[in-house]
């Protein structure tokens, strides 16, 4: 084994993509499918607004049945949704959903793109959506994707003429697509200095549910539509297209979109919007040459690859290599740079798969800092009779080449070790769209080249140059890290560049409900051996902190230490930010690190500003002990604890009237009745607790899949899809004297200032006379909605249902949300009736 020392300099932000997991090891049937795709030169771009909007049946159909290059352009990363797998919301949820989409495309055979648009939450109208997104910039991004991907066909998920009828993001995605269809072909329109591209036609992927029922759709004139049977079966894979689609759909785990595979015929329809309608109802590519004859010099390649396809030996794929090498050489001579680049990458992977060629570059450590050394273990093995020589390896990005000239005999592993020195100016690993602070509707991306990409391409790579009996081919592999887990076995994860230290405050919001000091622990993590420095905590004007700084020494890489600061708030109500800063050798480190680690996506280390919001509240509360039944992605309990409540999380299986009686209030988390099946049988105990004098607060549930059917509340209560998406929507008090608006804290209009993303969602639109509506919201001239907060006396207790988005407002530190929630918990404990008599 030889060792080399190489200096590594990195010039741009690093973020290792979701593809940096276990390498694919295709079997013969998958190799044959790849050869079929080599012989097809047509592209389809599917376009919608969010992760999970895409029709995976269509994407899989075009990728696996038609063998077209197929991609999904999601305008946003889904940051505004809910999370069923963990507590992450907003930008962290966007990281999860981004990677879920990439895994979905790996499953169904597509590619993935995004724009810079931020999913700011539900929008009722495209006018609002496009104003917040900055239509001009998002349109520029869509055109960039079209000009880069060069689709022959675009298919929209949504209808551009549905303004006011559905999510504003949905309608906007279709509107942007139609405009971009024309602008992409217009040489006068500038988008990232890319040449124009003409797409042949654009369709709307219609469906019966756009018409209200199957019966209505059956009556529709379909002369302007094409139809496809997307339920086809692939014998070589042992799966139907619908089964592959379901596997892809099930990657959207944070949205709870697990899908059961289906079999049998399944028709999909597309309606022409722009371009010429094909006369052949089965050929969406009519008028487009999808063979190699499409490009100059392609005819000879077609002949060679058709021979490869015809003579492919499933028992000995390596027999195809000589002809594949001929095709590789011909592709390399093409003048058409677009298809040359795409097909070279495809055929290289086919050649590697046919030869069983395995190439890997593994770092001995999961992470390093700048100005540090790391050892890479390189492995190359040829598992075929094909003659090969590993000529050299090149380490990127510094382009240092190491000559090896070693034969790769059949099934004989070649292993080398290379020591790499990472330069001090290396950029840090983090999602590229989170590097800079953006606006409500747009992410700020520093490098224009990254716009459209799902994740940042890894910069640490190794290029293996293999000589195939006279023909040299470069194979590029990302540097990764892997280890053996006793349960999971071999685990792959990205290789990361991290700061020398990060500082985390446990909560992004710290509430001071009194003028008393609080101890704020700051967790500092060091990422190299033998570091020393100081940590201080910056506080807002008028607040005080002791000590001013704390010295520390850390001997071991990965060591953690808690440093406690005492923060004294102002006497009056105020808000601000506290920020820990670590100083090492005169250099400031002011980032926190959030690790996202779920089995279905690659591990992510996200660097964010190391700051937490602090709020001084003048808050009075009644009652102390809360029982909490957690819902989906629910962090409300820890924020209630911050204002002094004793919160006990209750396992659904343990719910009983006797258990609940010990609590001053019982709270059900968001979507609890959608996600906890046990509540179907435990609901009687919950209502008995209320009847006996308890206080139950139910937070929002979606109107579909409620486990208790018609028994959600003690009285008639019907959920709807009504929501108030404008966080500044006008609020009116329907019952100004009601206890929940007056005791123990007086609620005023100002308590609805500073709300984030929305007022609330899935409000009831029908309820029994026993309920008292408390609030009314109105936006965009629509009719007022009065179902956001409903209170009913039941027996000796109170049942409260609220669609207000407390799950967003409490983590955002909105003072009025804390006051109102405290009043809800305190209801029945204020001697309210006695006070009224006085």
């Amino acid at each position: 084994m030889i060792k080399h020392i190489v200096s590594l300099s990195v010039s741009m932000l690093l973020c290792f993509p979701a593809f940096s997991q276990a390498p694919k090891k295709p079997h013969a049937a998958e190799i044959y499918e790849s050869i079929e795709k080599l012989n097809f030169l047509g592209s389809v771009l599917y376009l919608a607004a969010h992760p999970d909007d895409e029709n995976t049946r269509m994407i899989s159909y075009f990728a696996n049945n038609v063998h077209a290059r197929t991609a999904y352009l999601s305008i946003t990363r889904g940051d505004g949704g809910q999370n069923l797998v963990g507590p992450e919301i907003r930008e962290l949820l966007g990281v999860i959903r981004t990677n879920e989409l990439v895994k979905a495309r790996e499953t169904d055979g597509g590619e993935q793109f995004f724009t810079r648009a931020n999913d700011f939450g539900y929008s009722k109208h495209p006018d609002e959506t496009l104003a917040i997104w900055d239509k001009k910039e998002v349109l520029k991004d869509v055109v960039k994707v079209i000009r880069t991907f060069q689709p022959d066909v675009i298919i929209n998920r949504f209808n551009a003429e549905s303004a006011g009828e559905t999510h504003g993001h949905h309608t906007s995605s279709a509107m942007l697509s139609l405009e971009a269809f024309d602008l992409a072909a217009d040489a006068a329109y500038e988008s990232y200095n890319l040449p124009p591209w003409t797409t042949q036609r654009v369709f709307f992927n219609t469906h019966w549910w756009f018409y209200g029922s199957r019966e209505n759709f059956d009556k529709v004139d379909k002369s302007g539509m094409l139809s496809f049977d997307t339920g086809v079966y692939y014998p070589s894979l042992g799966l139907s297209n619908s089964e592959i689609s379901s596997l892809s759909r099930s990657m959207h785990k944070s949205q709870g979109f697990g899908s059961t595979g289906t079999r049998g015929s399944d028709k999909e329809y597309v309606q022409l919007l722009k371009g010429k309608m094909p006369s052949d109802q089965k050929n969406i590519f009519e008028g487009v040459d999808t063979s190699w004859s499409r490009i100059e010099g392609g005819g000879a390649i077609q002949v060679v690859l058709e021979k490869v396809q015809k003579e492919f030996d499933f028992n000995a794929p390596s027999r195809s290599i000589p002809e594949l090498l001929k095709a590789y050489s011909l592709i390399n001579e093409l003048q058409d740079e677009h298809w040359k680049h795409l097909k070279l990458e495809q055929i290289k992977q086919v050649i590697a798969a046919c030869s069983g060629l395995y190439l890997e570059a593994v770092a001995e450590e999961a992470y390093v800092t700048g100005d540090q050394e790391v050892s890479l273990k390189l492995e190359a093995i040829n598992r075929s009779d094909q003659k090969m020589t590993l000529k050299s390896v090149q380490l990127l990005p510094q382009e240092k080449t190491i000559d090896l000239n070693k034969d790769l005999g059949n099934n004989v592993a070649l292993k080398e070790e290379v020591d790499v020195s990472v330069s001090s100016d290396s950029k840090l690993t983090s999602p590229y769209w989170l590097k800079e602070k953006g606006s409500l509707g747009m992410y700020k991306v520093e490098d224009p080249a990254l716009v459209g990409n799902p994740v940042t391409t890894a910069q640490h790579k190794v290029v293996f140059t293999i000589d195939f009996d006279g023909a040299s081919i470069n194979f590029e592999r990302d540097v990764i890290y892997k280890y053996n887990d006793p349960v999971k076995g071999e685990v792959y994860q990205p290789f990361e560049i991290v700061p020398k230290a990060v500082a985390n405050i446990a909560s992004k919001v710290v509430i001071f409900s009194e003028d008393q000091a609080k101890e704020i622990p700051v967790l500092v993590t060091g990422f190299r051996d033998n570091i020393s420095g100081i940590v201080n905590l910056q506080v807002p004007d008028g607040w005080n902190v002791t000590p001013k700084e704390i010295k520390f020494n850390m001997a071991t890489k990965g060591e953690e230490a808690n440093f406690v600061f005492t923060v004294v708030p102002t006497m009056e109500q105020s808000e601000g930010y506290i920020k820990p800063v670590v100083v090492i050798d005169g250099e400031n480190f002011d980032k926190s690190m959030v690790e996202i680690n779920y089995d279905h996506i690659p591990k992510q280390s996200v660097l964010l500003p190391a700051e937490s919001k602090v709020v001084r509240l003048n808050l009075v509360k009644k009652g102390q002990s809360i029982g909490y039944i957690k819902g989906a992605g629910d962090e409300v309990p820890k924020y209630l604890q911050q204002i002094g409540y004793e919160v006990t999380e209750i396992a659904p299986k343990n719910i009983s009237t006797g258990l609940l009686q010990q609590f001053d209030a019982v709270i059900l988390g968001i979507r609890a009745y959608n996600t906890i099946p046990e509540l179907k049988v435990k609901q009687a105990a919950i209502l008995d607790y209320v009847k006996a004098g308890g206080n139950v607060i139910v937070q929002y549930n979606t109107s579909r899949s409620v486990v208790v059917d018609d028994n959600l509340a003690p009285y008639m209560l019907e959920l709807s899809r009504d929501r108030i998406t404008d966080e500044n929507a006008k609020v009116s008090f329907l019952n100004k004297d009601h206890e929940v608006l007056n005791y123990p804290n007086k609620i005023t209009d100002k308590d609805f200032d500073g709300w984030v993303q929305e007022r609330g969602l899935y409000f009831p639109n029908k309820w029994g006379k026993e309920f008292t509506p408390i609030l009314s919201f109105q936006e965009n001239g629509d009719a007022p909605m009065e179902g956001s907060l409903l209170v009913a006396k039941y027996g000796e207790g109170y049942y409260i249902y609220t669609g207000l988005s407390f799950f967003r407002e409490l983590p955002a530190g909105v003072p009025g949300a804390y006051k109102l929630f405290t009043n809800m918990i305190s209801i029945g404990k204020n001697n309210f009736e006695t006070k009224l008599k006085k």
Side-chain angles (χ1 to χ4, degrees):
M1 182 181 292
I2 59 175
K3 257 192 167 184
H4 305 271
I5 307 294
V6 180
S7 176
L8 186 62
S9 175
V10 185
S11 61
M12 61 188 297
L13 182 70
L14 297 182
C15 173
F16 286 83
F19 317 111
S20 295
Q21 287 192 303
K24 290 186 177 297
K25 302 167 186 174
H27 53 67
E30 291 171 325
I31 296 172
Y32 184 76
E33 291 286 327
S34 297
I35 294 171
E36 289 185 304
K37 290 183 179 182
L38 263 176
N39 262 330
F40 193 94
L41 279 71
S43 303
V44 177
L45 180 66
Y46 201 90
L47 192 150
H50 310 107
D52 72 45
D53 282 345
E54 81 276 24
N55 185 340
T56 54
R57 293 184 300 278
M58 291 285 277
I59 292 174
S60 179
Y61 174 82
F62 281 108
N64 299 304
N65 187 68
V66 180
H67 299 123
R69 184 183 181 216
T70 310
Y72 174 44
L73 169 56
S74 177
I75 302 296
T76 75
R77 297 177 182 270
D79 317 69
Q82 281 80 51
N83 185 359
L84 295 188
V85 298
E88 298 87 357
I89 58 174
R90 293 304 310 153
E91 68 270 12
L92 295 179
L93 176 59
V95 173
I96 292 173
R97 297 190 70 188
T98 291
N99 283 275
E100 287 179 335
L101 262 190
V102 172
K103 294 302 292 182
R105 297 294 78 77
E106 289 180 2
T107 303
D108 58 34
E111 300 175 41
Q112 185 61 51
F113 297 100
F114 294 94
T115 75
R116 289 170 293 158
N118 189 353
D119 178 6
F120 57 84
Y122 194 89
S123 174
K124 291 184 177 179
H125 200 279
D127 288 350
E128 176 197 34
T129 299
L130 294 173
I132 294 175
W133 276 353
D134 189 342
K135 177 186 174 182
K136 180 181 177 181
E137 290 301 308
V138 180
L139 187 58
K140 181 180 173 183
D141 293 356
V142 176
V143 171
K144 179 187 180 184
V145 172
I146 292 173
R147 288 180 174 179
T148 303
F149 185 73
Q150 297 187 8
D152 300 303
V153 176
I154 295 173
I155 302 175
N156 296 336
R157 169 76 282 188
F158 298 109
N159 185 355
E161 298 178 353
S162 61
E165 299 173 7
T166 182
H167 197 324
H169 296 186
H170 293 170
T171 307
S172 296
S173 70
M175 293 168 63
L176 289 165
S177 173
L178 291 178
E179 287 194 53
F181 175 84
D182 294 326
L183 290 175
D186 184 354
Y189 181 80
E190 195 284 320
S191 176
Y192 299 93
N193 296 315
L194 291 168
W197 172 255
T198 300
T199 300
Q200 295 300 307
R201 47 187 68 98
V202 59
F203 293 92
F204 162 42
N205 182 195
T206 191
H207 194 273
W208 66 259
W209 33 263
F210 287 110
Y211 292 82
S213 69
R214 295 180 188 274
E215 292 74 17
N216 290 341
F217 187 59
D218 288 341
K219 300 173 186 176
V220 171
D221 177 10
K222 298 182 179 62
S223 59
M225 299 182 189
L226 303 180
S227 65
F228 310 96
D229 184 357
T230 60
V232 294
Y233 176 65
Y234 306 123
S236 62
L237 302 177
L239 293 168
S240 70
N241 188 73
S242 301
E243 287 173 313
I244 294 174
S245 164
S246 294
L247 293 172
S248 174
R249 188 74 171 164
S250 296
M251 289 298 171
H252 296 296
K253 299 184 189 304
S254 64
Q255 293 300 102
F257 283 162
S259 177
T260 299
T262 60
R263 289 144 293 280
S265 180
D266 188 3
K267 269 197 173 183
E268 287 285 344
Y269 293 85
V270 293
Q271 177 182 338
L272 184 69
L273 300 177
K274 288 189 176 185
K276 185 179 178 181
M277 183 70 177
S279 58
D280 180 355
Q281 295 283 305
K282 300 298 181 184
N283 183 13
I284 200 170
F285 288 101
E286 185 179 271
V288 178
D289 188 348
T290 58
S291 74
W292 278 97
S293 298
R294 176 175 189 159
I295 54 178
E296 185 179 350
I301 301 169
Q302 182 89 30
V303 172
V304 176
L305 289 179
E306 283 180 349
K307 181 181 179 183
V308 170
Q309 191 171 329
K310 181 179 179 181
E311 298 178 357
F312 184 76
D313 187 339
F314 285 81
N315 292 315
S318 61
R319 292 180 181 175
S320 296
I321 294 176
E323 293 299 314
L324 287 168
L325 291 172
K326 289 181 186 178
Y328 177 85
S329 179
L330 291 170
I331 295 171
N332 207 25
E333 295 172 1
L334 292 173
Q335 297 302 307
D336 187 311
E337 290 297 326
H338 175 74
W339 287 110
K340 176 181 177 178
H341 171 75
L342 291 174
K343 293 303 179 181
L344 278 179
E345 290 305 309
Q346 286 183 15
I347 199 168
K348 283 198 293 187
Q349 300 313 314
V350 172
I351 292 170
C354 284
S355 61
L357 180 62
Y358 184 87
L359 303 169
E360 192 171 70
V362 180
E364 67 176 353
E365 300 176 76
Y367 57 84
V368 295
T369 67
D371 196 25
Q372 227 182 343
E373 226 177 58
V374 64
S375 177
L376 303 183
K377 293 182 178 179
L378 310 180
E379 179 180 352
I381 184 168
N382 163 28
R383 290 171 288 187
S384 72
D385 291 328
Q386 172 66 41
K387 185 177 179 181
M388 292 184 211
T389 301
L390 176 58
K391 293 175 63 177
S392 63
V393 292
Q394 183 182 47
L395 304 177
L396 298 179
Q398 85 287 8
E399 300 183 358
K400 173 69 177 182
T401 300
I402 302 168
D403 293 325
L404 294 173
N405 293 310
K406 297 205 172 182
D407 291 338
L408 296 178
N410 188 351
N411 212 29
V412 179
L414 175 64
K415 297 183 179 181
E416 302 287 342
E417 189 171 325
V418 181
D419 284 344
V420 175
S421 180
V422 180
S423 70
S424 58
D425 62 352
S426 296
K427 301 298 182 179
L428 304 175
T429 302
S430 197
Y432 75 83
W433 62 96
L434 297 180
K435 181 183 179 184
E436 302 288 339
K437 186 173 182 179
S439 64
L440 173 64
M442 294 289 289
Y443 281 117
K444 183 178 179 181
V445 178
E446 187 178 64
D447 183 356
L450 295 175
V451 173
N453 294 354
V455 288
T456 310
T457 303
Q459 295 302 296
H460 289 76
K461 299 174 182 287
V462 174
V463 179
F464 296 81
T465 300
I466 308 291
D467 182 273
F468 290 82
D469 201 16
S472 288
I473 301 179
N474 294 332
F475 296 92
E476 192 176 88
R477 297 291 185 265
D478 293 347
V479 174
I480 51 88
Y481 173 73
K482 69 177 182 180
Y483 64 96
N484 184 71
D485 182 273
V487 176
K488 299 175 184 177
E490 190 176 51
V491 176
Y492 284 76
Q493 65 185 49
F495 169 66
E496 300 176 314
I497 307 299
V498 298
K500 290 180 182 178
V502 295
N504 284 56
I505 298 174
S507 178
K508 299 307 290 181
V509 172
V510 183
I511 306 296
F512 292 75
S513 57
E514 301 171 335
D515 59 3
Q516 295 180 353
K518 276 193 176 185
E519 290 187 340
I520 306 295
V522 174
L523 178 66
V524 174
T525 305
F527 288 121
R528 60 188 305 173
D529 294 336
N530 301 315
I531 59 173
S532 60
I534 61 172
V535 57
N536 59 64
L537 186 65
Q538 300 174 1
V539 298
D541 291 342
W543 295 56
N544 291 300
V545 59
T546 54
K548 294 299 182 184
E549 62 182 35
I550 301 174
K551 294 182 179 181
F552 71 89
N553 293 282
M554 291 183 174
T556 308
K557 179 177 182 176
E559 186 175 341
E560 295 181 339
N562 255 318
F563 302 100
V564 179
F565 294 86
T566 300
V567 175
V568 181
T570 55
M571 294 291 290
E572 66 280 359
Q573 185 165 307
S574 65
E575 301 175 39
Y577 288 87
I578 56 175
K579 180 178 180 178
V581 178
V582 179
V583 183
I584 301 172
D585 297 329
E587 185 178 2
N588 288 355
F589 296 90
D590 59 358
K591 297 291 186 183
S592 65
M593 180 181 287
V594 179
E595 183 177 288
I596 299 175
N597 198 1
Y598 295 101
D599 287 343
H600 67 296
I601 58 174
K603 174 182 172 290
Q604 307 283 310
S605 294
V606 184
L607 295 174
L608 297 171
E611 62 181 20
S612 292
K613 184 177 182 180
V614 287
V615 181
R616 165 70 174 96
L617 272 176
N618 293 313
L619 193 68
V620 181
K621 65 183 192 301
K622 297 293 181 70
Q624 184 66 21
S625 178
I626 294 174
Y628 202 97
I629 302 167
K630 288 197 74 171
D634 192 349
E635 285 199 299
V636 168
K638 77 176 187 181
Y639 294 102
L640 296 179
Q641 288 171 330
Q642 281 203 28
I643 56 175
Y645 286 110
E646 297 173 1
V647 181
T648 301
E649 292 186 17
I650 304 171
K653 66 179 180 180
N654 295 333
I655 296 172
S656 68
T657 305
L659 174 68
L660 301 183
Q661 284 176 348
Q662 64 182 293
F663 300 111
D664 295 313
V666 172
I667 303 172
L668 286 95
I670 59 173
R671 299 182 69 175
Y673 285 100
N674 299 132
T675 59
I676 304 175
E678 293 94 332
L679 290 179
K680 185 176 181 68
V681 295
K682 297 295 185 177
Q683 181 71 344
I686 293 172
L687 296 181
D688 285 346
Y689 160 75
V690 180
K691 194 172 186 179
N695 176 16
V696 161
I697 300 169
V698 178
Q699 297 177 81
Y700 99 91
N701 291 269
T702 65
S703 54
R704 293 183 295 177
S705 304
V706 178
V707 298
V708 291
D709 300 320
D710 297 327
N711 192 32
L712 178 63
Y715 309 113
M716 191 272 285
L717 184 70
E718 291 186 15
L719 302 183
S720 73
R721 297 181 66 83
D722 289 350
R723 60 203 302 162
I724 296 293
T725 62
D726 182 356
E727 61 268 37
N728 299 307
K730 184 179 185 301
V731 59
S732 300
F733 298 150
L734 299 174
N735 192 331
K736 294 183 179 180
D737 295 327
H738 196 279
E739 181 175 3
V740 80
L741 293 177
N742 291 278
Y743 300 103
N745 304 284
K746 181 69 174 178
I747 304 298
T748 69
D749 291 351
K750 291 185 177 180
D751 290 308
F752 291 89
D753 293 344
W755 284 50
V756 299
Q757 186 161 327
E758 62 201 356
R759 292 298 196 188
L761 61 171
Y762 291 96
F763 297 159
N765 61 356
K766 294 181 182 178
W767 51 84
K769 61 180 178 8
E770 297 86 354
F771 281 104
T772 300
I774 305 298
L775 305 172
S776 173
F777 291 101
Q778 187 174 18
E779 63 181 348
N780 300 327
D782 296 338
M785 293 183 186
E786 300 182 351
S788 64
L789 179 57
L790 303 172
V791 181
K793 190 79 186 293
Y794 179 58
E796 299 300 316
Y798 289 87
Y799 177 96
I800 299 175
Y801 187 92
T802 180
L804 294 171
S805 58
F806 288 107
F807 73 103
R808 296 195 190 280
E809 312 314 320
L810 299 188
V814 178
Y818 278 90
K819 290 172 65 178
L820 182 55
F821 209 101
T822 299
N823 282 11
M824 290 159 51
I825 293 171
S826 304
I827 195 168
K829 306 173 182 65
N830 297 291
N831 299 318
F832 180 64
E833 293 180 0
T834 302
K835 291 176 183 178
L836 281 181
K837 290 177 182 179
K838 290 182 179 179

